Amino acid sequence: MIDFEMSPGLEQIRGMIHGVAEMQMRPIAREYDEEEHKFPGPYVEFMHSATKMMGGGMFGGEKKEKKKEGEGGEKKERRRGEKALFQCVTIEQLAWGDAGLYLCTPSPGLGGFAIDAVGTPEQKERFLARFAGDEPCWGAMAITEPNAGSDSAAIRTTAVREDDEWVINGTKIFVTMGHKAIVDSKGFVVVWATVDPKAGRAGIKSFVVEAGTKGMKLIKVEHKLGIRASDTAQIVFDNCRIPLGNILGSPEVVEKGEGFKGAMATFDASRPVVSASGVGVAQAALDAVKEALKEQGIELPYGKPRAQLTSLQRDVMWMEAQVRATRWLAYKSAWMVDQGKPNALEASTGKAKAGKMVTKVTQKAVEILGPLGYSRKYLFEKWMRDAKITDIYEGTQQINLLIVARRILDYSSSQLR
Amino acid sequence: MIDFSLTEEQQLIVDTVRDFAAGEIHPVARKCEEKEEPIPDALVQGAWQLGLILNTIPESFGGGGEPRSAVTGTLITEELAKGDLALALHLLSPNLTVLPVLEFGSDAQKAAHLPRYAGEKFAAGSAAIVEPSMHYGPLDLATTATKKGANYVLKGRKCFTPVLDDTSPILVFAKEGDAVQGFFVERNAAGMKIEPERNMGLNALNLCEIAFEECAVPASARLGEDKGCDYKRILASSNIALSAAAVGVGQAALDYALKYAKEREAFGAPIATKQAIAFMLAEMHIEIETSRLLAWEAAWLFDKGDPEAFKTSVLAKQTSADMALEVADNAVQVLGGHGYIREHDVELHLRNARGFYAFDGLALV
């Protein structure tokens, strides 16, 4: 039954994380934006101990819940509960606090989504248990290469089997939290590589490479438009050897096999979360704009015909509607994950909308505040810079439009390129 | 607990109404719009037989006694509007009388009005909110109701008022002091002059302009009598219904454009295989879904009696009015020159969609 009421559990976590965002993130947001890449020690420590206190996982409650899942037999969907919604609500609030710092939260990150989507129970245990450990750590995902971005089937990094090892060679760029995953902690990177370059997308598999593995080297951390507290790394794999058991999913190269599809399933779970982060940033800008209007005594006359509103009133009401509606798109796509329903259409619908919405809403906020919007004394300009990444990572606006178009037209990827 | 699924009953209703819209409403829509034929009585009675209105009328008045649900109303309105907006508004018009009477009517008013809508046959409803002025605003009406002795005297002008039969009273909203109240005006009332309108769209719906010159109605005609009504709640219901209708129009326009784009070939392939077209279609889908969820949320808040319902309904209506216009415009664009021709649906969707900024009180949920 259609219901927009958050469960008490979600409501509680929303309030709690909002408090964290206000107390632990906002006060240092500007500092870590200005001093790009400075390690946010106090925030990391706080989140690490908070996560431990909550029994090992703000990001999916890894160990304990996993065990429960293994026990009974029937209906796996049921027991997923509200995990994806929980992640959305959490990350929306963290992104409201600071979109760059949120990414620095010790967690399996996007690599975790990949392991969740296609990993075996043994792999989940082996790679994810560390997040409940004593040291903060991070997971990352390495897909993009200098010559392959949106066209992820065109990646050139190779994985060759030699005896009981995979040997990985290639260069990865734009690895979100790569530095924290392999330099600052004993985390891992999930690397996409082809086991058979002639096989096209059927040959693409993902591999877990743990921090400290010989042959994996971080060679650069990018300077960015926004989300500057987070690191975006370039990583080179030079005869990097990993155990056979570190491949996620089957090593078989099968035409129309599960390999690439499995990798794509990662996005079905991660896009709702990225959409929610965009909603968080947009809500932050909207809240601040409304605060400013309040100080000026400007009211929003709901119910007045649009032709009679001032341009400012129109803009703010538009922002409000957009943020609100986009939140439901994100939540719907997450809810479908929790229900065990295929959500590729909804995930891309939400992501395309969220990317565009947060970009436009934060730009509008800068415009409304005039000179103050442009000033680094306030956060408006930062929100606008932070927002833009939402429309790029985890699939650009255009890639998501392509996915939506294929779905509604019932076209394959070869029918609509 | 957050949930986006329909109940089994809602799904059944949606499926039924969707079939009715596609099989019964859509095939006659163009002829009715062009005034080549009147709205077929068989269509109206067929819709009535679905029991969509009757359901929410209490059993004591001969109805189904189901609790009113704006969420279900939203689902129904969208599906009917996919068939045709004008015909959907005609078929749903009984709600314009039934729902305000159910919620605010005195016992005497319930007894006077509801039995008309509990029979075997369709009976039209009518409400008048919009006024023919560029300064019109639903919260800022120029039509006044003044108490004079035992009567209220109505003064002012209304437009976009559905007048769909010869007998049904019209629920006229007018400013009484600082508040807005509703007044049932019988069709033979002195001082009321009804003139049919001609509009850009909705030509199948008999919308009228009404002039009230010292039109006196008895105090018993005031909706809710002494207690009056909560006008903002009626307006919220209207905003939600019109949002849902706009979603229906948008979806119909997209569905038409999708089908066309897959069939129409250019440069040796269906135009839908070109990103220039495919991306337009994708964006249309995204905006429709955005508006749909906002309309659902507003309806859900309305059903809860949440004080945020009015505000959210306003946001939903603005969003879906923008959406419907943009989507219908893009649908015309996808068809190119063909989109401009009245043989195709999309030009009608564009004309209908443009009205949502101006419409109020044409439907309720």
Side-chain angles (χ1 to χ4, degrees):
Chain A
M1 186 164 78
I2 293 171
D3 191 354
F4 290 83
E5 188 95 56
M6 282 196 193
S7 65
L10 284 185
E11 194 57 65
Q12 194 192 2
I13 195 75
R14 199 198 70 83
M16 211 176 86
I17 303 294
H18 190 77
V20 170
E22 253 180 339
M23 311 298 291
Q24 304 292 333
M25 302 175 92
R26 281 293 176 87
I28 59 170
R30 179 53 75 184
E31 177 187 346
Y32 287 91
D33 177 65
E34 299 279 336
E35 298 177 49
E36 190 171 17
H37 301 152
K38 181 168 118 179
F39 187 80
Y43 173 73
V44 166
E45 275 313 315
F46 176 86
M47 290 306 280
H48 179 62
S49 38
T51 306
K52 268 180 77 176
M53 245 168 56
M54 288 175 59
M58 194 167 288
F59 298 91
E62 313 315 338
K63 270 188 99 175
K64 284 177 188 164
E65 283 187 18
K66 279 285 137 48
K67 283 233 169 97
K68 261 188 229 154
E69 252 183 43
E71 282 163 12
E74 27 87 70
K75 292 209 180 160
K76 206 176 164 197
E77 300 85 12
R78 278 277 161 75
R79 273 191 312 280
R80 292 182 196 198
E82 294 193 302
K83 184 176 164 186
L85 270 173
F86 184 94
Q87 285 173 331
C88 272
V89 169
T90 303
I91 285 168
E92 177 187 331
Q93 292 308 319
L94 291 176
W96 182 91
D98 186 296
L101 287 170
Y102 130 63
L103 290 165
C104 297
T105 310
S107 86
L110 296 176
F113 283 108
I115 293 173
D116 248 1
V118 279
T120 64
E122 181 273 328
Q123 285 173 327
K124 288 182 189 178
E125 174 71 26
R126 183 151 57 98
F127 297 125
L128 299 180
R130 69 193 67 189
F131 294 94
D134 290 337
E135 295 295 320
C137 64
W138 289 265
M141 182 135 90
I143 306 175
T144 305
E145 298 179 2
N147 290 312
S150 292
D151 183 10
S152 40
I155 58 174
R156 291 280 167 272
T157 297
T158 55
V160 177
R161 187 175 169 169
E162 282 182 17
D163 302 322
D164 50 0
E165 286 177 326
W166 292 101
V167 183
I168 298 179
N169 278 288
T171 299
K172 292 289 180 183
I173 61 170
F174 301 162
V175 181
T176 301
M177 308 317 292
H179 191 276
K180 296 207 177 35
I182 65 172
V183 177
D184 295 333
S185 79
K186 294 198 169 78
F188 58 77
V189 183
V190 172
V191 182
W192 289 27
T194 174
V195 294
D196 182 358
K198 291 191 297 286
R201 61 178 55 200
I204 293 171
K205 306 286 173 188
S206 48
F207 302 85
V208 183
V209 184
E210 299 191 68
T213 307
K214 252 179 88 180
M216 173 168 68
K217 197 175 166 201
L218 183 145
I219 60 168
K220 186 183 176 192
V221 177
E222 306 285 350
H223 297 280
K224 300 189 297 296
L225 172 66
I227 54 167
R228 289 184 184 166
S230 73
D231 72 77
T232 301
Q234 183 165 353
I235 300 175
V236 169
F237 297 87
D238 181 11
N239 283 323
C240 177
R241 290 172 176 275
I242 57 168
L244 269 193
N246 282 22
I247 188 170
L248 295 174
S250 153
E252 303 277 312
V253 176
V254 193
E255 204 52 48
K256 289 184 181 168
E258 291 301 306
F260 194 75
K261 249 181 161 176
M264 285 297 155
T266 308
F267 290 121
D268 296 342
S270 64
R271 282 183 181 137
V273 168
V274 174
S275 305
S277 76
V279 172
V281 173
Q283 185 73 53
L286 174 62
D287 288 349
V289 165
K290 287 181 91 171
E291 195 60 38
L293 293 192
K294 211 168 154 191
E295 277 170 25
Q296 302 293 316
I298 300 170
E299 296 204 350
L300 297 175
Y302 298 94
K304 226 179 190 191
R306 187 146 38 175
Q308 295 169 23
L309 298 175
T310 65
S311 161
L312 176 65
Q313 290 166 335
R314 275 193 192 201
D315 284 345
V316 179
M317 286 162 88
W318 169 81
M319 289 165 74
E320 199 172 354
Q322 291 292 309
V323 175
R324 204 165 175 143
T326 307
R327 175 177 298 116
W328 296 124
L329 288 178
Y331 285 14
K332 185 181 175 190
S333 62
W335 171 82
M336 294 185 79
V337 174
D338 288 334
Q339 298 296 308
K341 295 183 202 238
N343 74 333
L345 171 62
E346 289 76 10
S348 283
T349 297
K351 171 63 168 66
K353 178 69 190 182
K356 197 169 176 184
M357 179 282 290
V358 67
T359 301
K360 297 283 176 211
V361 161
T362 53
Q363 286 174 359
K364 199 44 111 175
V366 169
E367 180 195 320
I368 288 171
L369 270 289
L372 305 187
Y374 201 71
S375 166
R376 269 153 62 190
K377 222 166 120 186
Y378 304 96
L379 290 174
F380 297 96
E381 63 83 30
K382 177 179 178 297
W383 285 319
M384 184 185 131
R385 288 184 289 108
D386 287 347
K388 187 61 202 166
I389 194 61
T390 321
D391 214 15
I392 298 171
Y393 66 4
E394 293 302 283
T396 60
Q397 173 72 214
Q398 288 66 31
I399 283 299
N400 283 292
L401 287 182
L402 200 54
I403 293 170
V404 169
R406 282 175 190 153
R407 295 274 164 175
I408 60 175
L409 285 160
D410 196 19
Y411 276 168
S412 66
S413 51
S414 57
Q415 281 171 299
L416 179 59
R417 289 169 186 275
Chain B
M1 198 159 164
I2 289 173
D3 192 341
F4 296 92
S5 62
L6 311 192
T7 62
E8 262 178 55
E9 194 192 345
Q10 284 170 336
Q11 191 60 56
L12 189 70
I13 294 172
V14 164
D15 292 344
T16 308
V17 176
R18 182 175 293 169
D19 289 348
F20 185 84
E24 309 292 327
I25 298 178
H26 184 253
V28 299
R30 174 61 70 174
K31 283 194 172 133
C32 295
E33 163 66 21
E34 304 282 350
K35 302 264 190 199
E36 286 169 22
E37 58 180 60
I39 300 176
D41 191 53
L43 172 77
V44 176
Q45 302 308 338
W48 186 250
Q49 294 305 322
L50 298 178
L52 303 174
I53 309 284
L54 199 63
N55 264 347
T56 48
I57 294 178
E59 284 169 355
S60 52
F61 293 102
E66 297 279 326
R68 172 185 183 180
S69 162
V71 170
T72 306
T74 301
L75 301 172
I76 292 170
T77 307
E78 178 188 338
E79 291 305 329
L80 284 176
K82 273 157 74 175
D84 179 69
L85 181 63
L87 297 181
L89 296 176
H90 184 106
L91 301 175
L92 288 168
S93 76
N95 275 339
L96 300 177
T97 303
V98 168
L99 295 177
V101 168
L102 269 180
E103 188 162 12
F104 302 109
S106 64
D107 289 344
Q109 286 169 339
K110 284 180 186 165
H113 293 285
L114 293 182
R116 196 154 21 105
Y117 300 100
E120 291 288 305
K121 293 261 176 189
F122 173 89
S126 181
I129 293 181
V130 188
E131 297 170 345
S133 155
M134 70 179 286
H135 303 295
Y136 160 77
L139 292 174
D140 195 22
L141 299 180
T143 302
T144 55
T146 316
K147 186 97 195 255
K148 268 193 190 158
N151 291 339
Y152 284 94
V153 176
L154 298 176
K155 245 187 187 168
R157 298 179 77 80
K158 291 289 176 183
C159 63
F160 294 167
T161 304
V163 180
L164 309 178
D165 63 12
D166 299 330
T167 54
S168 298
I170 298 165
L171 180 53
V172 179
F173 289 90
K175 204 136 199 176
E176 182 192 334
D178 286 337
V180 173
Q181 295 295 338
F183 300 87
F184 288 102
V185 183
E186 295 296 333
R187 297 287 289 283
N188 57 6
M192 173 170 76
K193 203 171 147 212
I194 299 178
E195 293 269 357
E197 293 168 356
R198 284 146 52 97
N199 294 309
M200 177 162 69
L202 290 188
N203 289 306
L205 188 69
N206 192 39
L207 292 179
C208 293
E209 189 166 323
I210 307 181
F212 297 96
E213 283 173 29
E214 300 287 331
C215 175
V217 297
S220 62
R222 187 177 185 253
L223 177 61
E225 299 200 53
D226 290 347
K227 287 187 187 143
C229 70
D230 179 352
Y231 173 62
K232 265 194 161 179
R233 188 152 160 91
I234 292 172
L235 215 46
S237 169
S238 158
N239 288 337
I240 295 164
L242 290 168
S243 302
V247 170
V249 170
Q251 188 68 56
L254 171 60
D255 290 346
Y256 199 95
L258 272 174
K259 187 164 178 287
Y260 182 89
K262 288 182 79 169
E263 286 166 4
R264 171 71 180 183
E265 297 206 349
F267 308 103
I271 58 171
T273 62
K274 314 284 180 199
Q275 288 188 350
I277 299 295
F279 281 15
M280 275 171 83
L281 297 169
E283 283 176 336
M284 289 155 80
H285 168 84
I286 292 166
E287 292 305 317
I288 293 167
E289 183 69 1
T290 302
S291 291
R292 181 179 288 128
L293 291 182
L294 204 50
W296 284 12
E297 189 202 0
W300 176 80
L301 289 167
F302 183 89
D303 284 337
K304 277 208 317 173
D306 193 298
E308 285 281 291
F310 178 74
K311 182 181 130 181
T312 308
S313 77
V314 167
L315 297 179
K317 186 174 173 233
Q318 286 186 355
T319 305
S320 57
D322 283 342
M323 175 281 290
L325 182 60
E326 196 183 320
V327 166
D329 183 58
N330 279 331
V332 171
Q333 194 67 26
V334 167
L335 271 75
H338 296 276
Y340 205 71
I341 306 294
R342 300 223 300 268
E343 278 168 30
H344 290 283
D345 285 0
V346 287
E347 64 80 30
L348 175 56
H349 293 317
L350 178 56
R351 287 186 286 123
N352 284 342
R354 193 60 187 88
F356 284 104
Y357 293 112
F359 298 154
D360 279 309
L362 286 184
L364 296 175
V365 286

